[in-house]
Amino acid sequence: TEAWAVIGEIAATTAHSIRNPLASIRSTAELQRELGALSPAAAADTVRDVERVERLVRTLLTYTRAHADPTGSADACTLLPEPA
């Protein structure tokens, strides 16, 4: 339906807005670990938290896509009006 399409669009925009900073957070944690500025445990905690949020975003997208893109079949002849 149209409402689910709008919800799907909002979810996609939100996911994009969340994923960009998450990638930066992950990269920074990994770099700081390599440079020795962050303990391996702290870096692992950060990466694990980033992955948890990424899973939530994927779940949101999967849920909205499932409703926004219904699949099935229909008989076009019964849906379209007769020509006048």
Side-chain angles (χ1 to χ4, degrees):
T1 66
E2 188 174 325
W4 279 109
V6 170
I7 292 170
E9 193 172 321
I10 292 168
T13 301
T14 302
H16 179 75
S17 296
I18 291 171
R19 283 180 166 162
N20 284 343
L22 284 178
S24 295
I25 293 167
R26 177 195 294 266
S27 296
T28 300
E30 292 170 347
L31 178 62
Q32 293 297 314
R33 182 191 62 219
E34 289 177 20
L35 295 174
L38 189 62
S39 73
D45 287 345
T46 301
V47 170
R48 185 175 50 253
D49 288 340
V50 166
E51 289 172 348
R52 181 178 58 83
V53 175
E54 286 175 342
R55 277 192 307 275
L56 289 170
V57 169
R58 277 194 307 273
T59 300
L60 172 67
L61 289 173
T62 300
Y63 180 76
T64 56
R65 283 188 190 131
H67 288 84
D69 297 328
T71 58
S73 61
D75 182 7
C77 293
T78 61
L79 298 174
L80 299 174
E82 291 288 325

